[in-house]
Amino acid sequence: MYKRQVQQTLLFQEILDLGLQHHTAGNLSKAKAIYQELLQADPNHPDALHLLGVIYHQVGENDRAVDLITKAITIKPKYPDTYFNLGLIFQKFGKLDEAITSYKEVIALKPDYAAAHNNVGLVFKVKGRNQDAVRSFREALSIKPDYAEADCNLGSIYQEQGYIEEAVKQMDMGLSCKPEKVGWRIKKALFFPVIPQSEEDIQTRRDTLTQNIAALTNENLVVSDPALDIGITNFYLAYHNLNNRSLMQDIAKLYIKACPELVYEAQHCQSGQRGEKKDVLRIGFLSSFFVTHSIGRLTRGIIEHFSRDLFEVIIFRFPGKKDYISEAIDRAADTVVTLTRNLKKDRQIIGGEELDILFYPDIGMDPYTYFLSFARFAPVQAVSWGHPDTTGIPNIDYFISSALLELPEASSHYSERLIPVSYTHLRAHETRHDLVCRLLLE
């Protein structure tokens, strides 16, 4: 009896190893079939449950993934990798408290698990707990001094705190370990102090940035995923009280050259694919901030008051926080589409909606939305004042602003065509967007 159990265990391990070979090679369908075969023989095999859950996560079935990995933990509760992968799923889809709990379970089981310290630091950063994030990144580096990703993450925190020299030093340490990370070089070049010392300091740093962007553009760099490898916007340029158009355009050109896939074009937008005029237009709204945030508050009324005789309203949102603003926006929409924060997947999702207009309430605050906006998802794409600066992005056609906010020469500050609407309060803003969006298609 014992011998038969040992033989069965060895057989199961051979089957699991075969599944892992296919899994690591990217053959998810074959690996999935092997894990499922193993679970037919032993429905409570914790490793098969765990790895099958990882596959479900990889293909976007995250509820199923969480169920399987949670079951694996119930059966085998002292395995840190299982908690770590559960934390990854929660982290990616915005369940930050659950992610922290999972990573802390990893650390309790294995205090020297450097990646868990790093990842919980990333979650703390998103929650605005920067001091906790700094401690976590430093702990990861104390365990693994050559942990380049932790160096990069710590550098990003220092930059947000205004410690530019320390941020650059930390990035350089990460690059010394992984010089192939060219996205980090671009990120470092974009570091700006939150509060510059003087107007002279602003100009000196802008001149340096201009030179660095030109030099990086001439290097013919390749960045496969800018949202992941760079993960920063040009946010602080908007507060220099200067015309940012040429600088923002140069930065956009660098990104397009380094990652041509950014300028994806949906099939219905391609030459020869555009159909006849419609009575009802499909308009999409896309932002990371359709929650209790200034963007959510400002955009909610626009969405609620859009004429349904003229428009079908599609909301694109990301997994994560839900509150009364997000629920009100979802109720006001005709369709709500959840994105994945994976550029390739989200391009296909948005492109498949065959929009006539895509409206970004903001571009320039959230790095992921910034890089997503390089694509052409609709014949007309517009942005508004959620972030009060031009994008420099060729595929953003219009910037909808207020005539009360713009200088006489304001159009020269925008790479987009400036639409300075005349209104005095938000209620007029809500109703006149119908007219503006119709005019954009004329």
Side-chain angles (χ1 to χ4, degrees):
M1 179 71 175
Y2 174 75
K3 182 177 180 181
R4 186 161 62 248
Q5 288 178 338
V6 171
Q7 289 174 339
Q8 185 182 58
T9 299
L10 291 173
L11 176 60
F12 283 176
Q13 188 60 50
E14 289 177 4
I15 295 171
L16 188 70
D17 290 343
L18 179 61
L20 272 170
Q21 289 177 20
H22 288 290
H23 198 162
T24 54
N27 190 348
L28 300 187
S29 59
K30 185 65 176 178
K32 179 181 177 182
I34 292 171
Y35 298 149
Q36 289 174 328
E37 179 184 346
L38 181 53
L39 288 169
Q40 286 179 350
D42 181 2
N44 291 320
H45 194 291
D47 295 330
L49 288 166
H50 170 209
L51 293 169
L52 183 60
V54 171
I55 285 182
Y56 274 111
H57 165 60
Q58 289 176 288
V59 300
E61 296 185 42
N62 293 291
D63 290 339
R64 181 67 173 142
V66 169
D67 289 343
L68 287 165
I69 296 176
T70 301
K71 183 177 179 181
I73 288 172
T74 302
I75 297 166
K76 189 178 179 180
K78 296 188 180 299
Y79 188 50
D81 286 349
T82 313
Y83 283 106
F84 184 79
N85 283 330
L86 185 61
L88 283 175
I89 296 172
F90 286 141
Q91 179 182 354
K92 183 173 182 181
F93 291 94
K95 296 185 176 181
L96 302 183
D97 292 333
E98 293 89 338
I100 290 172
T101 299
S102 296
Y103 289 135
K104 285 187 174 180
E105 290 285 355
V106 177
I107 293 166
L109 291 168
K110 194 174 189 299
D112 63 346
Y113 202 124
H117 288 284
N118 178 67
N119 282 22
V120 79
L122 289 171
V123 178
F124 284 142
K125 179 175 180 287
V126 173
K127 289 177 71 69
R129 295 169 57 180
N130 283 353
Q131 291 305 318
D132 289 329
V134 167
R135 281 191 288 270
S136 296
F137 295 141
R138 286 176 175 168
E139 184 64 27
L141 287 165
S142 71
I143 296 166
K144 186 180 178 183
D146 62 346
Y147 197 167
E149 286 77 11
D151 277 316
C152 176
N153 293 330
L154 186 54
S156 296
I157 286 281
Y158 285 152
Q159 187 270 334
E160 290 183 6
Q161 293 177 325
Y163 304 128
I164 300 302
E165 287 71 23
E166 292 87 343
V168 170
K169 178 181 178 181
Q170 209 69 47
M171 292 296 298
D172 285 339
M173 291 174 67
L175 284 164
S176 70
C177 298
K178 291 192 173 181
E180 72 278 7
K181 288 284 192 178
V182 296
W184 294 358
R185 292 177 56 201
I186 297 173
K187 183 174 189 172
K188 184 181 74 168
L190 293 170
F191 280 176
F192 262 96
V194 178
I195 302 176
Q197 296 178 2
S198 63
E199 291 184 1
E200 182 181 0
D201 181 41
I202 290 174
Q203 193 57 58
T204 298
R205 291 183 182 276
R206 289 171 67 95
D207 291 343
T208 300
L209 175 59
T210 300
Q211 294 168 10
N212 288 339
I213 293 299
L216 289 166
T217 303
N218 290 334
E219 285 191 50
N220 297 317
L221 303 175
V222 176
V223 180
S224 59
D225 188 342
L228 181 64
D229 294 335
I230 300 171
I232 192 172
T233 69
N234 320 306
F235 182 81
Y236 294 109
L237 293 179
Y239 301 95
H240 290 176
N241 195 32
L242 293 168
N243 187 341
N244 291 323
R245 176 176 176 171
S246 62
L247 188 51
M248 295 288 272
Q249 287 177 313
D250 288 344
I251 293 169
K253 288 174 185 176
L254 167 61
Y255 290 147
I256 293 169
K257 186 174 182 181
C259 184
E261 293 83 1
L262 282 174
V263 289
Y264 163 92
E265 185 176 18
Q267 185 175 355
H268 75 287
C269 297
Q270 296 171 13
S271 178
Q273 297 295 318
R274 300 184 184 184
E276 298 179 356
K277 286 188 176 182
K278 305 175 182 178
D279 293 329
V280 177
L281 301 175
R282 291 173 59 80
I283 181 167
F285 290 80
L286 195 161
S287 175
S288 293
F289 304 108
F290 287 150
V291 291
T292 304
H293 182 281
S294 58
I295 298 300
R297 291 188 176 98
L298 288 169
T299 312
R300 171 187 174 180
I302 299 172
I303 294 167
E304 288 177 338
H305 292 275
F306 243 75
S307 168
R308 293 314 195 267
D309 294 331
L310 300 175
F311 296 97
E312 179 183 358
V313 174
I314 298 94
I315 297 298
F316 296 96
R317 65 161 58 257
F318 298 95
K321 177 182 176 182
K322 292 184 179 180
D323 55 33
Y324 79 98
I325 292 289
S326 69
E327 291 172 355
I329 289 173
D330 288 354
R331 286 195 301 269
D334 296 300
T335 304
V336 178
V337 177
T338 301
L339 301 178
T340 68
R341 288 197 176 273
N342 177 291
L343 286 175
K344 290 184 178 180
K345 290 181 180 179
D346 287 345
R347 289 179 195 130
Q348 296 299 320
I349 292 171
I350 301 169
E353 292 295 324
E354 297 190 2
L355 301 173
D356 298 296
I357 303 170
L358 179 56
F359 179 71
Y360 296 90
D362 61 282
I363 295 176
M365 295 194 295
D366 174 50
Y368 185 81
T369 305
Y370 171 75
F371 288 110
L372 190 63
S373 70
F374 277 70
R376 172 63 68 180
F377 296 119
V380 170
Q381 302 193 148
V383 64
S384 194
W385 59 8
H387 181 60
D389 202 0
T390 185
T391 67
I393 297 171
N395 276 332
I396 301 300
D397 307 304
Y398 299 95
F399 195 107
I400 301 175
S401 184
S402 168
L404 301 176
L405 296 176
E406 301 292 347
L407 298 170
E409 70 277 12
S411 60
S412 66
H413 291 219
Y414 291 90
S415 60
E416 308 83 6
R417 179 182 172 188
L418 179 63
I419 308 293
V421 180
S422 297
Y423 54 81
T424 57
H425 55 85
L426 184 59
R427 194 69 174 182
H429 186 185
E430 293 164 355
T431 55
R432 292 189 184 188
H433 265 75
D434 289 3
L435 175 61
V436 169
C437 288
R438 265 290 173 187
L439 290 174
L440 297 183
L441 285 177
E442 294 300 324

